[in-house]
Amino acid sequence: MSDLKQTLRDDLTTAMKARDELRTATLRMVLSAVSAEEVSGKAARELSDDEVQAVLRREAKKRKEAAEAFGGAGRAEQAAREEAEGQVLAGYLPTQLSDEEIAAIVTEVVAATGASGMGDMGKVMGRANGQVAGRAEGGRVAAEVRRQLAS
């Protein structure tokens, strides 16, 4: 079993003992998503820490999108719940890069690849996403790549 998955299970037990309903529900949801990912496909398998993190990122993104949708529909209570669940999940993810750090990485990749225009965006995105590795949303990286290649 991956270390991260074991940490999630241990934290679920702790949350249940502390009667922390939000944390318990959130951790159950993410462990359920991890289990579903493990049995999807042709054969059941054990997920690595990186794959568990990918599931966590996907679930955190769902919470963010749901919070925005609820907020836009005037359902503040549900939006607050989704945001709180997202905060619980964020505790298990690596710290997100700042805009300045993303700009520095993209600048370095543009220089290394010799990219000169929007036609090179795919090449730059591939290398930049490799360096970012889950520490920033792809949309933020793409926006910075577009900004730098356009100028």
Side-chain angles (χ1 to χ4, degrees):
M1 181 180 306
S2 74
D3 292 338
L4 183 54
K5 184 176 174 186
Q6 187 60 48
T7 300
L8 290 168
R9 286 186 179 198
D10 294 343
D11 289 352
L12 173 60
T13 303
T14 303
M16 290 169 66
K17 288 179 181 176
R19 300 194 187 283
D20 184 344
E21 188 274 330
L22 171 71
R23 195 168 194 78
T24 299
T26 303
L27 292 174
R28 278 185 175 152
M29 172 269 309
V30 79
L31 283 167
S32 175
V34 168
S35 295
E37 184 78 17
E38 287 177 333
V39 297
S40 68
K42 294 183 181 191
R45 61 192 174 87
E46 190 74 29
L47 296 182
S48 68
D49 276 348
D50 289 340
E51 292 169 319
V52 172
Q53 269 197 351
V55 171
L56 280 166
R57 276 193 303 276
R58 194 168 50 240
E59 292 299 321
K61 183 177 179 184
K62 285 180 189 177
R63 298 294 146 310
K64 181 180 178 186
E65 291 171 351
E68 290 171 359
F70 282 132
R75 300 176 70 183
E77 189 174 311
Q78 287 93 341
R81 171 69 183 214
E82 294 291 336
E83 288 172 359
E85 288 180 0
Q87 290 301 317
V88 170
L89 295 176
Y92 296 97
L93 294 171
T95 305
Q96 294 292 298
L97 295 173
S98 68
D99 290 338
E100 294 79 25
E101 291 169 318
I102 293 172
I105 289 171
V106 171
T107 300
E108 179 183 310
V109 171
V110 167
T113 59
S116 59
M118 292 304 286
D120 295 325
M121 183 162 176
K123 181 170 39 170
V124 174
M125 281 297 296
R127 299 240 336 238
N129 281 332
Q131 290 184 20
V132 168
R135 296 178 294 155
E137 293 176 9
R140 290 177 59 209
V141 177
E144 181 60 28
V145 170
R146 273 191 218 95
R147 188 187 70 74
Q148 289 193 24
L149 290 179
S151 51

